[in-house]
Each structure stands twice: as structure tokens, then as C-alpha cells.
Amino acid sequence: MILRDGPHGLSVDAILLESGMSKGGFFHHFPTKAALLLGLFDRLTSAVAASVEHSVRDGTSPPARSLRAQIRLAFDKPPRERERNRALVMALVVGVMESTEVAARARKANRRALALDGYFLGESYKTTKLNGSERAALRASLLALLERKPRRTQRRAARKGARP
């Protein structure tokens, strides 16, 4: 629904019409529209967390594992699942605009390293349009950045190796 009608079309009445659910049934499960949006937010962040958990235990630092998992989440999912994530991101944008609680949770999640937000938003709103080879090249570039050591560390290692 959100992909078809856009985020502005996400209203309780539209949800009820689309789902066939009664208003009482909706409010039994979600006391407010914000509660529904929080549920969608939790679903999106759970997908990121699950991807992190399934990432390879390669000895890299937790932020690197997290970023590697986010890259996989952004680039390795099949198109249908990317579309589902796109809908969740769009719902999250609505939630952030309409609910201080959703906005607070989103800020907290961003502090935990949702590094690919710009890409997710660009893909969600179709302002980032990459063909298959461009997506693969961007993915490879991001993963390659994770493999590089910071220059300062490389210089220190070179100095240590040069000392007797």
C-alpha cells in the first residue's frame, strides 16, 4: 500500500480499507497509528540486527561487522525483499514526522551505526537509481573500504617495522 500510494497515503482509514480489518480490531492491536509505525520501525531494525547476527565472525571490530552486515542488507537481498524494506523505510519516514516516540527511536538507532541511511532513503524514494553493475560496483567499493587500514595506522606500522 505504501509503495503504491506513497507515505502520505498511510492513514488508519486507508489501512483498514486495504486490510479489511475493523477499526476495533486495528485499535486492539495498535492503540494509535504511532504504535503501528513503531511496530514497522521495530521490524526494520530487527532485519538489520538479524543481518548483523548472521554476519561472518571474521575478527573485525563490531562496527565493521555491523557495516558489513548493513552492506549485505542493502545490496544482497532479492528485489522483492528490497521492496518490502523500501516500504518499511517509507513508513519509518512517516513515523518520524508524525511521532516523537518514533523519531526518538530512530535517532537512537542511527547512533548505533545505520551507516547506509542515505542509500536506503535514496532507494526507497527512487532518487538513487542504480543498474545491476552499478549496484555491484558500489557494494564492492564499500566492502573494500572496510578492508583498508587507516593511513595513520599504516604509518605507525611502517615506523615500528623500521626500528631495530
Side-chain angles (χ1 to χ4, degrees), residues 52-109:
V52 169
E53 284 179 31
H54 289 98
S55 67
V56 177
R57 305 261 189 264
D58 57 6
T60 59
S61 67
R65 273 197 301 267
S66 177
L67 183 55
R68 187 172 282 110
Q70 290 175 52
I71 291 168
R72 289 184 184 124
L73 183 67
F75 292 95
D76 297 351
K77 298 293 181 188
R80 184 178 173 131
E81 196 162 335
R82 283 200 322 265
E83 281 296 293
R84 184 183 66 85
N85 286 341
R86 181 172 162 246
L88 291 171
V89 168
M90 291 174 77
L92 174 59
V93 170
V94 171
V96 167
M97 293 184 328
E98 294 184 2
S99 166
T100 57
E101 189 177 356
V102 174
R105 257 203 230 173
R107 279 192 297 279
K108 185 177 178 183

Side-chain angles (χ1 to χ4, degrees), residues 20-154:
M21 183 183 278
S22 70
K23 197 171 255 191
F26 175 87
F27 286 112
H28 173 75
H29 294 286
F30 304 104
T32 63
K33 180 181 171 187
L36 169 69
L37 295 170
L38 280 169
L40 290 171
F41 175 77
D42 289 343
R43 191 172 189 181
L44 180 63
T45 56
S46 292
V48 172
S51 184
V52 169
E53 284 179 31
H54 289 98
S55 67
V56 177
R57 305 261 189 264
D58 57 6
T60 59
S61 67
R65 273 197 301 267
S66 177
L67 183 55
R68 187 172 282 110
Q70 290 175 52
I71 291 168
R72 289 184 184 124
L73 183 67
F75 292 95
D76 297 351
K77 298 293 181 188
R80 184 178 173 131
E81 196 162 335
R82 283 200 322 265
E83 281 296 293
R84 184 183 66 85
N85 286 341
R86 181 172 162 246
L88 291 171
V89 168
M90 291 174 77
L92 174 59
V93 170
V94 171
V96 167
M97 293 184 328
E98 294 184 2
S99 166
T100 57
E101 189 177 356
V102 174
R105 257 203 230 173
R107 279 192 297 279
K108 185 177 178 183
N110 280 336
R111 277 188 235 118
R112 287 193 308 250
L114 287 176
L116 294 171
D117 287 347
Y119 178 78
F120 277 133
L121 287 173
E123 193 171 69
S124 295
Y125 286 100
K126 295 197 176 195
T127 56
T128 301
K129 196 74 171 157
L130 303 176
N131 64 35
S133 61
E134 291 169 330
R135 280 177 56 83
L138 179 57
R139 179 188 183 280
S141 295
L142 290 169
L143 288 171
L145 288 173
L146 288 172
E147 303 306 322
R148 292 186 186 160
K149 289 185 178 182
R151 289 180 184 246
R152 185 178 296 165
T153 304
Q154 289 173 346

